[in-house]
Amino acid sequence: QKEVEQDPGPLSVPEGAIVSLNCTYSNSAFQYFMWYRQYSRKGPELLMYTYSSGNKEDGRFTAQVDKSSKYISLFIRDSQPSDSATYLCAMSVYNQGGKLIFGQGTELSVKP
Amino acid sequence: SQTIHQWPATLVQPVGSPLSLECTVEGTSNPNLYWYRQAAGRGLQLLFYSVGIGQISSEVPQNLSASRPQDRQFILSSKKLLLSDSGFYLCAWSVRGVGGNSPLHFGNGTRLTVT
């Protein structure tokens, strides 16, 4: 079993839809959770960073962490064509900054 | 603000040839530095990380090596490339601190094709 599981998609939605991206993990020692967005042929760009259970909101993006269920989500409201990218979840153990474990990534396409 | 540079952006090399990829970070001091590889359709795999000049930790045994000759410079090398070395190589940095974590910030990568 992989430490981090992410549905690879692809996921196609119409513009304006609410998008839900999800990851599950098996290592209960994970304490830091991140979402990255990666455009084609570019490096991943940090979208959200959180270390506690609950929700964190930034504009149209909401990150949700449920440590009891070992489940994290990223919600995108009012999705735009410019949101079309691959979304990667990542997580790490305390005091091992940088040694991130990544999901496979979910490819998202938002159609105008 | 901090920026990270990687070059070259694209590279095609024959099997058995050497490799040198370079990464530099600007706008920060004493960063942690990382090399990741991303294979097609797969997640990112940590190859090397460094917490200081000359300090390299290897995560995956292979024919690649890394060096950090200066505080903000990180180099990935190979003496003889294999076909399996093809992939997208990403350099990243994070803030070095005592305890806790800081997220990674990635460069735009080098796409390596070994033929």
Side-chain angles (χ1 to χ4, degrees):
Chain A
Q1 182 189 8
K2 293 181 181 178
E3 281 192 283
V4 179
E5 298 274 3
Q6 183 177 5
D7 184 353
L11 184 62
S12 182
V13 301
E15 183 175 354
I18 297 174
V19 177
S20 172
L21 304 167
N22 310 296
C23 288
T24 58
Y25 61 95
S26 58
N27 187 351
S28 59
F30 286 141
Q31 291 188 303
Y32 297 87
F33 305 91
M34 286 139 275
W35 284 96
Y36 286 85
R37 177 175 63 195
Q38 185 174 24
Y39 291 115
S40 180
R41 310 186 80 82
K42 297 292 186 182
E45 169 194 13
L46 180 67
L47 277 179
M48 302 289 280
Y49 172 66
T50 183
Y51 52 85
S52 58
S53 283
N55 294 349
K56 180 178 181 179
E57 190 173 318
D58 184 0
R60 295 185 295 111
F61 299 92
T62 299
Q64 184 177 81
V65 175
D66 183 346
K67 289 186 180 179
S68 61
S69 300
K70 298 190 184 67
Y71 188 88
I72 68 171
S73 298
L74 178 70
F75 298 98
I76 306 174
R77 292 186 300 279
D78 188 25
S79 56
Q80 302 295 309
S82 59
D83 295 327
S84 298
T86 296
Y87 290 80
L88 297 154
C89 65
M91 45 201 80
S92 67
V93 175
Y94 176 77
N95 211 20
Q96 290 190 9
K99 296 177 72 173
L100 301 183
I101 306 299
F102 282 85
Q104 284 184 285
T106 299
E107 184 181 348
L108 171 66
S109 177
V110 181
K111 303 296 186 184
Chain B
S1 64
Q2 301 88 4
T3 56
I4 180 168
H5 302 281
Q6 275 189 256
W7 66 92
T10 305
L11 190 60
V12 180
Q13 293 283 93
V15 169
S17 64
L19 173 73
S20 180
L21 303 181
E22 191 164 339
C23 169
T24 59
V25 180
E26 296 178 358
T28 186
S29 297
N30 306 315
N32 289 341
L33 296 174
Y34 310 86
W35 281 110
Y36 277 80
R37 177 169 59 198
Q38 186 175 32
R42 299 170 66 176
L44 278 73
Q45 179 186 38
L46 177 63
L47 301 176
F48 301 95
Y49 71 95
S50 171
V51 298
I53 295 174
Q55 300 179 61
I56 309 295
S57 295
S58 174
E59 292 293 306
V60 181
Q62 57 208 335
N63 68 322
L64 299 172
S65 62
S67 61
R68 185 171 178 173
Q70 300 180 43
D71 181 48
R72 290 172 290 176
Q73 183 184 28
F74 207 23
I75 297 171
L76 182 69
S77 303
S78 174
K79 293 182 179 179
K80 289 185 177 182
L81 284 169
L82 307 172
L83 284 173
S84 58
D85 291 324
S86 294
F88 192 40
Y89 288 83
L90 291 155
C91 181
W93 72 273
S94 69
V95 173
R96 189 191 311 172
V98 178
N101 279 288
S102 106
L104 265 63
H105 304 276
F106 287 88
N108 275 326
T110 295
R111 188 163 302 279
L112 172 66
T113 303
V114 182
T115 60

PDB file of all heavy atoms in Angstrom, chain B residues 17 21 29 35 72 76 89 92 113:
ATOM      1  N   SER B  17      26.575   8.831 -21.364  1.00  0.00           N
ATOM      2  CA  SER B  17      27.188  10.165 -21.298  1.00  0.00           C
ATOM      3  C   SER B  17      27.058  10.727 -19.883  1.00  0.00           C
ATOM      4  O   SER B  17      26.222  10.289 -19.093  1.00  0.00           O
ATOM      5  CB  SER B  17      26.523  11.109 -22.305  1.00  0.00           C
ATOM      6  OG  SER B  17      25.163  11.299 -21.978  1.00  0.00           O
ATOM      7  N   LEU B  21      23.352  18.926 -13.892  1.00  0.00           N
ATOM      8  CA  LEU B  21      22.234  19.866 -13.807  1.00  0.00           C
ATOM      9  C   LEU B  21      22.505  20.816 -12.650  1.00  0.00           C
ATOM     10  O   LEU B  21      22.927  20.391 -11.580  1.00  0.00           O
ATOM     11  CB  LEU B  21      20.913  19.127 -13.561  1.00  0.00           C
ATOM     12  CG  LEU B  21      20.508  18.067 -14.571  1.00  0.00           C
ATOM     13  CD1 LEU B  21      19.168  17.459 -14.169  1.00  0.00           C
ATOM     14  CD2 LEU B  21      20.440  18.643 -15.963  1.00  0.00           C
ATOM     15  N   SER B  29      19.103  32.880   2.540  1.00  0.00           N
ATOM     16  CA  SER B  29      20.387  32.327   2.974  1.00  0.00           C
ATOM     17  C   SER B  29      20.161  31.024   3.718  1.00  0.00           C
ATOM     18  O   SER B  29      19.115  30.818   4.343  1.00  0.00           O
ATOM     19  CB  SER B  29      21.099  33.316   3.918  1.00  0.00           C
ATOM     20  OG  SER B  29      21.396  34.507   3.239  1.00  0.00           O
ATOM     21  N   TRP B  35      16.744  17.719  -4.545  1.00  0.00           N
ATOM     22  CA  TRP B  35      16.525  17.247  -5.911  1.00  0.00           C
ATOM     23  C   TRP B  35      15.423  16.192  -5.876  1.00  0.00           C
ATOM     24  O   TRP B  35      15.517  15.217  -5.126  1.00  0.00           O
ATOM     25  CB  TRP B  35      17.785  16.643  -6.519  1.00  0.00           C
ATOM     26  CG  TRP B  35      18.772  17.632  -7.024  1.00  0.00           C
ATOM     27  CD1 TRP B  35      19.990  17.930  -6.503  1.00  0.00           C
ATOM     28  CD2 TRP B  35      18.634  18.461  -8.190  1.00  0.00           C
ATOM     29  NE1 TRP B  35      20.622  18.895  -7.245  1.00  0.00           N
ATOM     30  CE2 TRP B  35      19.807  19.226  -8.295  1.00  0.00           C
ATOM     31  CE3 TRP B  35      17.635  18.624  -9.167  1.00  0.00           C
ATOM     32  CZ2 TRP B  35      20.006  20.159  -9.325  1.00  0.00           C
ATOM     33  CZ3 TRP B  35      17.843  19.537 -10.177  1.00  0.00           C
ATOM     34  CH2 TRP B  35      19.010  20.301 -10.251  1.00  0.00           C
ATOM     35  N   ARG B  72      23.987  28.455  -1.924  1.00  0.00           N
ATOM     36  CA  ARG B  72      22.744  28.509  -2.687  1.00  0.00           C
ATOM     37  C   ARG B  72      22.879  27.834  -4.046  1.00  0.00           C
ATOM     38  O   ARG B  72      22.147  28.171  -4.980  1.00  0.00           O
ATOM     39  CB  ARG B  72      22.317  29.975  -2.841  1.00  0.00           C
ATOM     40  CG  ARG B  72      21.843  30.576  -1.513  1.00  0.00           C
ATOM     41  CD  ARG B  72      21.598  32.063  -1.615  1.00  0.00           C
ATOM     42  NE  ARG B  72      22.849  32.801  -1.758  1.00  0.00           N
ATOM     43  CZ  ARG B  72      22.910  34.121  -1.938  1.00  0.00           C
ATOM     44  NH1 ARG B  72      21.805  34.824  -2.018  1.00  0.00           N
ATOM     45  NH2 ARG B  72      24.077  34.712  -2.044  1.00  0.00           N
ATOM     46  N   LEU B  76      23.304  18.318  -9.613  1.00  0.00           N
ATOM     47  CA  LEU B  76      22.997  16.902  -9.773  1.00  0.00           C
ATOM     48  C   LEU B  76      23.860  16.365 -10.906  1.00  0.00           C
ATOM     49  O   LEU B  76      23.905  16.956 -11.984  1.00  0.00           O
ATOM     50  CB  LEU B  76      21.517  16.708 -10.098  1.00  0.00           C
ATOM     51  CG  LEU B  76      21.031  15.264 -10.245  1.00  0.00           C
ATOM     52  CD1 LEU B  76      21.040  14.549  -8.898  1.00  0.00           C
ATOM     53  CD2 LEU B  76      19.626  15.233 -10.838  1.00  0.00           C
ATOM     54  N   TYR B  89      13.432  16.525 -13.709  1.00  0.00           N
ATOM     55  CA  TYR B  89      14.211  16.744 -12.501  1.00  0.00           C
ATOM     56  C   TYR B  89      13.901  18.134 -11.941  1.00  0.00           C
ATOM     57  O   TYR B  89      14.019  19.142 -12.633  1.00  0.00           O
ATOM     58  CB  TYR B  89      15.701  16.596 -12.784  1.00  0.00           C
ATOM     59  CG  TYR B  89      16.083  15.155 -13.017  1.00  0.00           C
ATOM     60  CD1 TYR B  89      15.923  14.576 -14.279  1.00  0.00           C
ATOM     61  CD2 TYR B  89      16.561  14.371 -11.971  1.00  0.00           C
ATOM     62  CE1 TYR B  89      16.241  13.248 -14.488  1.00  0.00           C
ATOM     63  CE2 TYR B  89      16.888  13.036 -12.178  1.00  0.00           C
ATOM     64  CZ  TYR B  89      16.720  12.495 -13.435  1.00  0.00           C
ATOM     65  OH  TYR B  89      17.028  11.162 -13.633  1.00  0.00           O
ATOM     66  N   ALA B  92      14.401  22.124  -5.482  1.00  0.00           N
ATOM     67  CA  ALA B  92      13.515  22.837  -4.562  1.00  0.00           C
ATOM     68  C   ALA B  92      14.308  23.341  -3.366  1.00  0.00           C
ATOM     69  O   ALA B  92      15.389  22.842  -3.058  1.00  0.00           O
ATOM     70  CB  ALA B  92      12.374  21.939  -4.094  1.00  0.00           C
ATOM     71  N   THR B 113      15.914  13.551 -21.384  1.00  0.00           N
ATOM     72  CA  THR B 113      15.626  12.362 -22.188  1.00  0.00           C
ATOM     73  C   THR B 113      16.951  11.681 -22.497  1.00  0.00           C
ATOM     74  O   THR B 113      17.841  12.294 -23.098  1.00  0.00           O
ATOM     75  CB  THR B 113      14.912  12.716 -23.491  1.00  0.00           C
ATOM     76  OG1 THR B 113      13.706  13.431 -23.199  1.00  0.00           O
ATOM     77  CG2 THR B 113      14.568  11.456 -24.275  1.00  0.00           C
TER      78      THR B 113
END
